[in-house]
Amino acid sequence: MYKLASKRAEEDPAFAERARGELQKLQAGDPENLARWETFVHATRTMLDRCYAMLDVQFDAWLGESAYNAMLPGVVETLLKKGIAREDQGAVCVFFNEIDGVPPKLAKQTTPFIVQKKDGAYLYSTTDVATVLYRRDHFHADRAVYVVDVRQSQHFEQLFAVMRLLDVTMDLEHVGFGMMLGTDGKPLRTRDASGKTIPLVKLLDESVERAMAHMREEKLDIPEEELAETARVVGIGAIKYADLRQNRTSDYQFDWDKLISFKGNAGPYMQYAYARIASIFRKAERSFEGAGGPILLAHPAETELARHLLAFPDVVHTAAETYQPHLIPDHLFQLAKAFSGFYEACPILKADGAERESRLALAGLTARQLRRGLGLLGIGVVERM
């Protein structure tokens, strides 16, 4: 509906004007528009809940744009009172090129940061200012991270500058991300010829279906009663891994063949690496946690694996500090490759005594680190593949 209305608004100025009027009525508390809005919110939330359940994502608080509606008049009044904003042709705007001490990039901008339109309606900019104030006063937050499309960079530069002018000391950071593209280099579309962008829930459903089909083709060692759950874990994990393994600021091509793959830098390959180690321990009748004791690094492959294992804490710390989650998949892939080399060069179950215990300990550490690393990305593991 939104896309249809947006297209019509571009072609029909009278329609666009009526739409702006309805928005103003909604923000002012018109009962009829509020009732319609609540219907739309319910329909949206129903689908969002399904998506988040599939992704195993939970929230401590649901605070949509409307949660701050009562604060918006006060935001505009404060900005006017402090001289940060002024009226211009009936609207209330912040003109950065008229304010001292703003970042040089903004000081050159003539386009204003509008906080109230001439018809009295508010914008994202107004709500975003209110959001920061609410988070400061209600949650006592000292840091807020905005994970939003890189195309919104200028908006956040303006928002953060306004908050500094309001003497808000909260650490505000925009963590932008690129676009998911199809193999044609254009925004990802459905398989049909409709030209519509694929909804997330359909993407997730299709990934689970493809994982199931791929596992049947590969004739993996998975009991039939575990196949559906394994397909879910692998399919959802494949989507997450494909997205998080990319440098977040870059656009990337989405390729089903690479995504549902048990080879190369893909989620299923990481899960397979974990399951292979689980199989070793089943044969040894041991648990990962029970594998310990002195580690002997007699073979170069053992040393190589140990070096990768030791790098994990620094990788996790850097990924968190620099907002670069792709560092974790990069590490896990290199770890899985190092284990593969170790597995080929250093027999585990055929070894004896201290050598066997050492190699079991290295394998157990690898499995635990794969499980922990994937867990940090919100990806599960399976014991059999």
Side-chain angles (χ1 to χ4, degrees):
M1 288 176 67
Y2 176 79
K3 290 171 72 174
L4 289 171
S6 296
K7 187 174 186 300
R8 182 172 171 184
E10 292 174 1
E11 302 166 352
D12 184 348
F15 174 84
E17 187 62 32
R18 292 202 307 277
R20 285 190 287 269
E22 295 298 335
L23 171 62
Q24 196 278 330
K25 285 166 61 179
L26 173 64
Q27 291 179 335
D30 177 75
E32 185 178 358
N33 279 12
L34 276 174
R36 288 172 172 165
W37 170 80
E38 286 170 357
T39 300
F40 300 150
V41 168
H42 176 73
T44 302
R45 180 68 186 272
T46 299
M47 183 56 76
L48 290 177
D49 283 343
R50 182 185 169 195
C51 287
Y52 288 129
M54 294 177 75
L55 291 167
D56 192 25
V57 171
Q58 296 89 33
F59 296 92
D60 295 315
W62 277 83
L63 292 167
E65 195 183 4
S66 60
Y68 313 100
N69 196 51
M71 296 175 64
L72 304 185
V75 166
V76 174
E77 182 181 345
T78 298
L79 292 172
L80 285 169
K81 185 177 179 180
K82 289 182 174 291
I84 297 169
R86 66 173 176 83
E87 289 191 19
D88 182 68
Q89 301 180 41
V92 179
C93 314
V94 177
F95 289 91
F96 291 104
N97 61 333
E98 299 176 358
I99 302 174
D100 294 331
V102 298
K105 185 178 178 181
L106 292 179
K108 298 177 182 178
Q109 288 184 7
T110 56
T111 303
F113 185 72
I114 305 171
V115 292
Q116 186 172 25
K117 296 191 287 187
K118 62 182 179 181
D119 63 3
Y122 303 103
L123 299 94
Y124 286 126
S125 53
T126 331
T127 308
D128 283 346
V129 173
T131 301
V132 178
L133 298 175
Y134 180 87
R135 289 171 177 169
R136 179 196 65 184
D137 299 336
H138 182 78
F139 292 118
H140 307 293
D142 52 20
R143 180 185 184 196
V145 179
Y146 294 76
V147 185
V148 185
D149 189 337
V150 292
R151 292 174 295 181
Q152 299 296 322
S153 295
Q154 185 184 72
H155 168 77
F156 288 109
E157 287 172 3
Q158 294 175 327
L159 171 66
F160 299 165
V162 167
M163 301 320 299
R164 285 191 291 272
L165 291 169
L166 285 170
D167 296 323
V168 172
T169 58
M170 191 190 306
D171 183 12
L172 304 171
E173 300 182 62
H174 174 213
V175 176
F177 56 86
M179 296 279 289
M180 184 188 290
L181 309 176
T183 52
D184 58 359
K186 298 178 180 179
L188 187 66
R189 305 290 179 183
T190 51
R191 289 175 295 178
D192 59 35
S194 67
K196 295 179 181 178
T197 302
I198 186 169
L200 175 59
V201 69
K202 288 187 177 180
L203 188 74
L204 297 174
D205 284 339
E206 183 172 346
S207 187
V208 173
E209 290 170 9
R210 285 176 178 261
M212 175 73 82
H214 197 73
M215 288 189 296
R216 289 192 184 281
E217 289 171 9
E218 295 287 329
K219 297 180 180 179
L220 299 181
D221 181 25
I222 305 171
E224 186 67 28
E225 63 272 15
E226 296 177 15
L227 201 56
E229 175 61 13
T230 302
R232 185 193 69 79
V233 174
V234 172
I236 300 300
I239 293 285
K240 291 183 178 183
Y241 192 92
D243 196 59
L244 293 170
R245 67 172 284 259
Q246 311 294 331
N247 185 315
R248 63 172 171 78
T249 59
S250 303
D251 295 343
Y252 71 92
Q253 289 193 341
F254 182 93
D255 186 325
W256 279 117
D257 292 334
K258 292 180 181 178
L259 184 120
I260 306 290
S261 175
F262 292 91
K263 298 177 182 178
N265 196 1
Y269 173 70
M270 298 299 125
Q271 292 165 321
Y272 176 74
Y274 173 86
R276 183 164 66 166
I277 302 174
S279 174
I280 293 170
F281 275 80
R282 280 195 299 275
K283 291 175 183 176
E285 298 181 342
R286 300 277 292 275
S287 69
F288 300 151
E289 286 69 18
I295 291 178
L296 312 175
L297 303 179
H299 193 283
E302 294 172 317
T303 304
E304 182 69 10
L305 178 58
R307 283 176 178 155
H308 280 87
L309 288 165
L310 288 170
F312 186 59
D314 288 339
V315 169
V316 173
H317 178 78
T318 303
E321 289 296 307
T322 61
Y323 307 109
Q324 296 185 89
H326 76 275
L327 297 178
I328 295 176
D330 284 352
H331 169 79
L332 296 179
F333 181 52
Q334 296 303 321
L335 175 65
K337 288 201 300 182
F339 178 81
S340 184
F342 160 76
Y343 182 78
E344 294 297 328
C346 304
I348 298 173
L349 298 182
K350 292 182 180 180
D352 296 314
E355 185 178 62
R356 186 178 194 266
E357 290 302 305
S358 172
R359 290 176 180 177
L360 279 170
L362 281 170
L365 284 168
T366 302
R368 286 158 54 189
Q369 195 169 111
L370 286 169
R371 183 175 62 195
R372 176 64 60 84
L374 289 171
L376 290 173
L377 303 173
I379 297 171
V381 294
V382 292
E383 300 299 318
R384 300 174 187 271
M385 282 183 79

